[in-house]
Amino acid sequence: MQEKFAILKTHFGYMGFRPGQEEVIDALLSGQDVLAIMPTGAGKSLCYQIPALLLDGLTVVISPLISLMKDQVNALHDAGIPAAFLNSSLSSGEYAETISRAVREEYKILYIAPERLQRGLPSALTEARHIAMVVIDEAHCVSQWGHDFRPSYLQITEFIRQLAPRPVAAAFTATATGKVREDIIRILNLQEPFTLTTGFNRENLYFEVQKPRDKYTALMDCLKTRRDKSGIIYCSTRKTVDEICQTLASRGFASIRYHAGLEDEERRRNQDDFIYDRKTIMVATNAFGMGIDKSNVAFVIHYNMPKNIESYYQEAGRAGRDGSPADCILLYSPQDVRINTFLITNSQEEEEDRDEALIAHNLELLKAMTFYATTSDCLRSRLLGYFGETAPNYCGRCSNCNTVFKTTDITIPAQKIVSCVYRLERTGRKFGKTMVINILRGSKNEKIRSFALDRLTTYGIMADMDAHRVRTILDYLVDQQYLAVAGDEYPVVGLTERSREVIFDKKPLSMMLPQETKRSAPLDLPEEDAFAAPEAGRGSRAVRSGRPAGRGTGSIGDSTINSAAPDYAAAEGLLEKLRELRARLAQEKRVPAYIIFSDASLRDMCRKMPETSEQFLDVSGVGSLKMEKYGDAFTAVIREWKRRL
Ligand code: ADP
Ligand code: MG
Ligand code: ZN
């Protein structure tokens, strides 16, 4: 059993297992099926790659995204593990070659696209009696209750059934609620699986929700402080993706797009440009990202709210995989809820296929997502709570924990708002929220003048309050039924029975209202990240900002870590040198830079400054194979850098 540690070190270069990894490995090695639910970035691959090396025979991995198999296999080769893949990108010659080499037992791991199973695999392979393990990655795809059902995944059951002796089976997913979990076990026919759920908390992620008046401006603000960083912007429609991507490009951002409406060729090219750091910003629909192992994504911005928390957490979780601080920002607007509701209720076109239970289920999931977007509670505790974990109700690293909400007296503003609606109704008119707010704030827009609304006594009586705040109070009044919103096509604000309590009874009202504060530096980050925050860029051609740590502006996205200040400036020069070397090697080998070493590994080198092979082995992410391949080059740069100091 000590072998697993040896492999961890030699092939992968890690000192110890992360939570859950060892238990899963042990179960698989003892022949027990596994269902492992671990968040994105937790390290699921290692859980099957290590047993694959120790088991006698071949491990077959079913994975949904064929475009990434090549990278996965490359990474395994780089770690000295014989692996291959079967998917539609292979020519028939390559396909036959791969099969025959697999039959000759030349590989330890073989990735297979689920679509491939549909056509059946050659019996030479399935009857060879040497398939020791079948791994189902992204196993939630088997369940229609999941958020990414793939019919081809149903083939897996039959595939496993025809193998004799039955190999051990392992299912992995990042997100699984009770129903999905049951489905995975039942449909895949897992035999008394060892089930493991590791914590969903991702310490290094900063969660933020913004409710901007204008999303586009908000997006620009987010990006301004993140120039040169690599990030993903998720939009709900292809059209939005196209628009945003184009605008960003015209503003000088290195943006690229991805959605199902593009030609395969462009999709592949764009994905590669992003993974290989040739472009820094990926604007995409949810079609992008599954299986993307790019470890240096510094932010994930949702331009639209997703349909459920499962999708949100999976997509947001693509940030900061290497453990560096990263930001997950959701730009929310009530419009997102309306569009999602429409999509869910109209998802099944044929009347007879309508699955009311499924629709109701999906609407519940949407409700939970909306709740996340609108809560004033700690966002992290909301997310973790949703996945069944108890978490402290203050994390200090989300926009809600960094916003002080104060109980605020709103008696007077409430009276102003309700009487405005009252005046309008008295004159036989009703308008939407925006119009009511515009009247209250004394807007000079054309419509107001043409309706002579500027002659109302309530015109302009809230001119001194920020429109956003007026809206928040108005929303609260609607929520508490002091006002009502009705009408499908044009929702308008009207009075309710309770309205009189506000304007006639002068009922005292108060609510929690935010007081914006500056975001503080992330707390308790793992030591690994000491040099992470003030990075100027991660791409090979990134320009260095030269700004020392601890003197940042303190604005969002500029999390500064003071403790690293003294040797940071020095270390950054080195980091840049190591990056250049990595970029050169990556280019030579035609692999993404992170496959050579992750950013976390480079930073560990800055910290440990290894000069000999032995010291180099001490760096996180350096195994004996990588030491042999890259040790000399990297230690040479470090020695040279020290000499010049
Ligand atoms: P996921 O669970 O999302 O599939 P991956 O398997 O892609 O996650 O792993 C995410 C990152 O964590 C990878 O860069 C991987 O090399 C790294 N990793 C995995 N296990 C460990 C470990 N025990 N120590 C340090 N890093 C690890
Ligand atoms: Mg994975
Ligand atoms: Zn929090």
Side-chain angles (χ1 to χ4, degrees):
M1 266 317 164
Q2 285 318 302
E3 284 171 294
K4 66 188 177 204
F5 290 106
I7 291 176
L8 181 70
K9 182 67 204 144
T10 329
H11 289 278
F12 300 97
Y14 297 130
M15 297 304 176
F17 287 107
R18 286 189 180 160
Q21 287 181 325
E22 200 176 353
E23 289 94 318
V24 170
I25 292 169
D26 288 345
L28 290 173
L29 289 177
S30 74
Q32 190 181 9
D33 283 0
V34 162
L35 168 58
I37 298 145
M38 300 162 82
T40 312
K44 290 186 281 297
S45 323
L46 229 74
C47 295
Y48 61 80
Q49 287 166 347
I50 290 182
L53 285 175
L54 290 170
L55 288 170
D56 200 14
L58 178 71
T59 289
V60 167
V61 183
I62 318 286
S63 165
L65 262 203
I66 61 171
S67 53
L68 294 159
M69 287 183 180
K70 197 161 173 293
D71 276 347
Q72 280 161 341
V73 166
N74 274 342
L76 286 173
H77 285 169
D78 211 39
I81 299 166
F85 60 87
L86 290 178
N87 64 36
S88 53
S89 76
L90 297 182
S91 68
S92 55
E94 289 167 330
Y95 181 77
E97 168 75 13
T98 305
I99 294 279
S100 64
R101 292 183 63 177
V103 172
R104 290 201 303 270
E105 309 194 9
E106 287 181 24
Y107 307 123
K108 289 308 289 183
I109 300 180
L110 182 63
Y111 284 87
I112 303 183
E115 294 75 21
R116 207 74 227 184
L117 299 177
Q118 227 140 353
R119 305 203 211 143
L121 292 173
S123 53
L125 187 62
T126 51
E127 284 168 12
R129 296 181 160 257
H130 75 289
I131 296 185
M133 174 161 69
V134 174
V135 174
I136 303 99
D137 204 5
E138 315 287 357
H140 58 274
C141 292
V142 83
S143 168
Q144 67 154 338
W145 299 107
H147 52 91
D148 195 19
F149 174 57
R150 295 186 183 219
S152 60
Y153 257 57
L154 298 174
Q155 302 294 321
I156 298 172
T157 318
E158 174 57 22
F159 168 66
I160 297 178
R161 207 192 51 77
Q162 62 174 354
L163 300 175
R166 180 188 181 278
V168 62
F172 292 90
T173 177
T175 54
T177 43
K179 266 189 165 134
V180 177
R181 222 170 285 190
E182 283 164 27
D183 266 8
I184 292 174
I185 296 178
R186 183 177 53 80
I187 297 173
L188 293 176
N189 203 10
L190 299 182
Q191 317 274 297
E192 296 176 18
F194 168 71
T195 303
L196 173 123
T197 309
T198 58
F200 274 85
N201 192 15
R202 297 272 308 278
E203 286 291 338
N204 60 318
L205 299 186
Y206 181 88
F207 292 98
E208 178 172 337
V209 176
Q210 292 185 21
K211 304 175 188 89
R213 267 152 282 170
D214 172 28
K215 284 192 181 188
Y216 178 69
T217 312
L219 177 66
M220 277 303 159
D221 286 344
C222 289
L223 295 179
K224 252 185 247 157
T225 53
R226 293 175 176 81
R227 285 237 172 222
D228 299 322
K229 290 200 175 183
S230 195
I232 307 173
I233 299 167
Y234 279 111
C235 309
S236 60
T237 65
R238 300 174 188 181
K239 189 163 158 274
T240 319
V241 167
D242 292 342
E243 284 168 7
I244 299 278
C245 181
Q246 192 166 26
T247 326
L248 292 183
S250 72
R251 293 265 194 125
F253 287 95
S255 58
I256 205 94
R257 62 185 180 154
Y258 190 104
H259 59 64
L262 302 176
E263 298 289 330
D264 285 355
E265 168 56 27
E266 183 184 352
R267 273 216 306 267
R268 200 167 30 239
R269 191 176 60 233
N270 293 354
Q271 176 172 296
D272 280 356
D273 278 350
F274 183 63
I275 292 178
Y276 285 74
D277 296 321
R278 291 188 288 259
K279 300 280 176 173
T280 51
I281 296 180
M282 171 59 89
V283 188
T285 60
N286 60 7
F288 176 75
M290 197 199 285
I292 296 271
D293 292 340
K294 184 173 165 67
S295 67
N296 64 341
V297 175
F299 62 88
V300 172
I301 297 174
H302 278 80
Y303 195 76
N304 301 104
M305 183 181 80
K307 285 203 266 294
N308 50 54
I309 290 186
E310 283 88 347
S311 310
Y312 179 69
Y313 203 55
Q314 185 160 60
E315 287 159 17
R318 291 179 183 133
R321 280 187 158 212
D322 65 357
S324 306
D327 300 320
C328 309
I329 303 169
L330 169 63
L331 303 181
Y332 168 83
S333 87
Q335 172 93 348
D336 294 331
V337 184
R338 288 198 287 276
I339 291 174
N340 278 322
T341 307
F342 177 85
L343 291 177
I344 291 169
T345 44
N346 294 282
S347 58
Q348 291 143 331
E349 295 200 346
E350 307 299 331
E351 217 28 62
E352 61 267 29
D353 294 348
R354 247 180 106 82
D355 184 341
E356 294 297 341
L358 187 59
I359 290 175
H361 173 76
N362 287 335
L363 287 175
E364 275 308 306
L365 299 186
L366 174 63
K367 211 191 247 173
M369 182 72 235
T370 311
F371 202 40
Y372 171 83
T374 53
T375 185
S376 56
D377 294 345
C378 169
L379 296 174
R380 181 174 263 101
S381 78
R382 275 262 166 253
L383 289 169
L384 296 180
Y386 181 80
F387 292 114
E389 269 179 51
T390 44
N393 52 25
Y394 178 88
C395 77
R397 277 169 304 108
C398 74
S399 56
N400 284 349
C401 283
N402 283 314
T403 304
V404 181
F405 285 83
K406 262 180 65 177
T407 307
T408 312
D409 180 60
I410 56 157
T411 311
I412 302 296
Q415 285 170 8
K416 290 178 177 173
I417 294 172
V418 178
S419 36
C420 182
V421 175
Y422 176 77
R423 296 277 163 226
L424 287 170
E425 271 201 17
R426 285 278 302 265
T427 54
R429 290 173 293 187
K430 280 189 180 184
F431 291 104
K433 284 183 186 172
T434 306
M435 195 64 164
V436 173
I437 294 165
N438 283 339
I439 297 170
L440 284 162
R441 296 192 64 253
S443 155
K444 298 206 172 18
N445 84 33
E446 195 46 44
K447 203 167 160 197
I448 289 194
R449 280 198 225 167
S450 63
F451 283 108
L453 295 170
D454 50 359
R455 272 183 252 144
L456 285 176
T457 50
T458 49
Y459 176 79
I461 54 173
M462 295 184 86
D464 57 346
M465 191 182 276
D466 170 47
H468 191 55
R469 203 167 176 87
V470 179
R471 184 180 285 271
T472 309
I473 299 173
L474 174 54
D475 284 344
Y476 175 81
L477 294 172
V478 171
D479 197 51
Q480 299 292 310
Q481 287 159 15
Y482 293 112
L483 290 172
V485 172
D488 284 338
E489 207 173 338
Y490 300 107
V492 292
V493 187
L495 299 174
T496 67
E497 280 174 21
R498 297 193 69 186
S499 299
R500 56 175 310 114
E501 296 175 30
V502 179
I503 37 178
F504 299 120
D505 306 344
K506 312 244 184 275
K507 180 174 174 179
L509 293 173
S510 64
M511 68 179 287
M512 297 294 272
L513 278 176
Q515 280 192 321
E516 285 291 343
T517 54
K518 284 252 157 89
R519 168 184 169 185
S520 56
L523 307 168
D524 301 319
L525 277 170
E527 212 232 318
E528 284 248 273
D529 305 307
F531 295 126
E535 259 172 41
R538 291 147 188 257
S540 46
R541 277 172 296 146
V543 194
R544 196 153 78 76
S545 77
R547 174 163 50 74
R551 264 182 256 152
T553 57
S555 66
I556 288 182
D558 249 326
S559 45
T560 49
I561 298 171
N562 295 306
S563 61
D567 34 271
Y568 168 73
E572 162 142 311
L574 177 58
L575 191 59
E576 211 47 43
K577 290 256 181 298
L578 297 175
R579 281 225 176 89
E580 282 162 17
L581 172 60
R582 178 179 66 176
R584 208 163 55 235
L585 291 169
Q587 211 157 27
E588 275 169 24
K589 309 193 75 171
R590 292 166 184 278
V591 295
Y594 68 81
I595 283 191
I596 310 262
F597 282 123
S598 70
D599 283 3
S601 292
L602 296 192
R603 279 193 297 275
D604 204 34
M605 288 178 206
C606 287
R607 209 169 303 133
K608 297 187 174 141
M609 306 229 185
E611 294 182 71
T612 65
S613 312
E614 196 148 304
Q615 292 165 347
F616 195 64
L617 258 184
D618 244 18
V619 172
S620 172
V622 178
S624 41
L625 243 126
K626 293 220 173 189
M627 196 264 286
E628 256 166 55
K629 278 193 216 173
Y630 310 121
D632 288 346
F634 280 86
T635 49
V637 168
I638 293 167
R639 278 195 307 271
E640 172 66 14
W641 186 83
K642 270 191 167 172
R643 201 176 57 77
R644 293 191 175 194
L645 218 55

